[in-house]
Amino acid sequence: REPEDSEEPPTKMKNPAPMRPFQVVVNLFATPKYREWDPTPIVAYSFAIFYGLMTADVVYAAGMILISRFLVPKFLGGTRSEAVMLLQRVLYICGGVGLVLGLLSGSYLGNIHTMFGLGDPGLVAGVQRLLQNPLIFVILALFIGFIHVNIGNVLALIKMVKERNRGAIVAKVGLFSLQFGALYIIRAVMNVDIPSVLGLIIRMPQFSPQVYDVSLYFAIAGIGMIVAGNFIEKGGLGAILWLFDITGILGDIMSYARIAGVGLATYYLATVFNMLGPLFGDLLPFSGMVGVIAGGALSILILVIGHTVNLLLSVLTGFIHSLRLCFVEFLFKFYEGGGRIYSPFKLIKRQPVLVGAKS
């Protein structure tokens, strides 16, 4: 039978096979309630893309896949539970995204190809430009953040409409209006045209002056709706809390700059180790064949230690920051959780063993 409104059955999450491993990520935040929408599909795409952008290097991504296969089960007590296997698949998928982006951008242990005088191995110059130019990478990260945050806001608006929360609906619509009004604010305060900035990553036509004039009215209307919505929902306290809605959207989008920060740190740290290895090898006070062998051995040692440390840092920080972006900047906007995972009752029949029986 269908459950009654007062009943809260356990939740059995059903997702396509490629997305199923990311149920682990959602459950780390909270299991969806029986009647709640499961955000796993969006989390799957966003988590994999964030992680892949932060570890966009062929060798590091391959190393992450190997760590997932052989070391993750040992770190988690040697268990082969379903949760551990799903976590491994999450890391396999994220490592695969990083591997593809590394191939396209030509990143192999950073720029190690320059040590051997090889040509640029990048397959797509546009992807290489996006991921290795600091300014463009930051703009790309903020653009991704703008899209991701507003997907969360749209889902929050849908939830508020279902709950008939009038104040929250007015405030959320005002937030969308204010974001369009940001075109005028950014141009007036920073003297920056959004089309010119986004033109570094995508082709975009310039806006006419009338667009900026209309944008100003949207900004004024958005602020008014945010104030009114907070006042309707929270009373007199809302006359103060509306400020946090405005600063919150800016802080949420700016938080995605961490994608570029971790990705660029991974690349430039690898580049530094590629420079330090030969540099220290040449400083040894030996000459002839002994100097060549000793210098080469020291260079290799520095490269191995440095890139191993960088690999572990990129795997750890990529996972942590991807979790943060999916949890704090996305799920907190609309997702409640609090459900129970469906776990059917089982009887395990053990094979009887006769002890001391005569043959």
Side-chain angles (χ1 to χ4, degrees), residues 8-9 11 13 26-39 159 163 331-341:
E8 187 63 41
T11 303
M13 302 168 74
V26 174
N27 286 327
L28 282 175
F29 184 83
T31 301
K33 293 181 181 179
Y34 179 78
R35 296 175 180 83
E36 189 175 20
W37 179 71
D38 178 9
K159 178 184 175 184
E163 296 175 352
L331 290 180
F332 265 123
K333 287 180 170 47
F334 64 92
Y335 183 62
E336 291 184 8
R340 294 176 295 123
I341 297 178

Side-chain angles (χ1 to χ4, degrees), residues 79-280:
T79 179
R80 294 291 297 174
S81 66
E82 183 181 2
V84 173
M85 294 174 65
L86 289 176
L87 177 61
Q88 285 181 293
R89 292 173 191 167
V90 167
L91 296 176
Y92 292 157
I93 294 171
C94 295
V97 175
L99 187 67
V100 171
L101 290 175
L103 286 169
L104 296 177
S105 63
S107 180
Y108 296 79
L109 296 178
N111 64 342
I112 201 166
H113 58 276
T114 59
M115 293 178 57
F116 304 99
L118 301 176
D120 189 351
L123 299 180
V124 180
V127 176
Q128 186 179 59
R129 180 169 165 265
L130 283 175
L131 301 184
Q132 295 180 8
N133 183 303
L135 177 60
I136 297 177
F137 200 171
V138 170
I139 294 172
L140 172 66
L142 295 179
F143 181 67
I144 291 172
F146 176 80
I147 295 173
H148 198 236
V149 166
N150 279 290
I151 290 174
N153 285 326
V154 169
L155 294 173
L157 179 61
I158 294 172
K159 178 184 175 184
M160 293 165 187
V161 171
K162 290 181 178 179
E163 296 175 352
R164 298 182 179 179
N165 188 336
R166 290 180 298 174
I169 292 172
V170 172
K172 192 63 70 175
V173 172
L175 194 63
F176 291 122
S177 177
L178 178 62
Q179 289 182 75
F180 180 70
L183 291 173
Y184 177 86
I185 297 173
I186 293 175
R187 189 185 191 193
V189 175
M190 304 174 63
N191 196 26
V192 173
D193 288 330
I194 293 296
S196 299
V197 174
L198 292 181
L200 295 173
I201 58 175
I202 58 174
R203 291 184 179 180
M204 196 171 182
Q206 290 293 323
F207 294 151
S208 65
Q210 289 78 14
V211 172
Y212 292 99
D213 294 337
V214 173
S215 173
L216 173 61
Y217 296 116
F218 271 89
I220 296 172
I223 294 174
M225 294 173 71
I226 292 172
V227 174
N230 275 274
F231 188 79
I232 294 171
E233 184 181 12
K234 300 164 186 171
L237 191 61
I240 301 174
L241 295 180
W242 66 272
L243 286 168
F244 294 101
D245 285 352
I246 296 177
T247 58
I249 186 69
L250 178 62
D252 288 345
I253 294 175
M254 293 299 295
S255 182
Y256 286 79
R258 70 185 68 239
I259 296 175
V262 175
L264 291 169
T266 300
Y267 177 78
Y268 285 119
L269 212 62
T271 302
V272 168
F273 287 126
N274 293 337
M275 179 182 66
L276 290 178
L279 179 64
F280 278 94

Side-chain angles (χ1 to χ4, degrees), residues 55 57-65 109-110 266 270 306-307 310-311 314-315:
T55 56
D57 185 283
V58 174
V59 180
Y60 289 160
M64 185 174 80
I65 294 173
L109 296 178
T266 300
H307 286 299
N310 199 21
L311 167 63
S314 65
V315 170

Side-chain angles (χ1 to χ4, degrees), residues 281 284-297:
L284 292 179
F286 303 111
S287 59
M289 186 59 66
V290 176
V292 172
I293 295 174

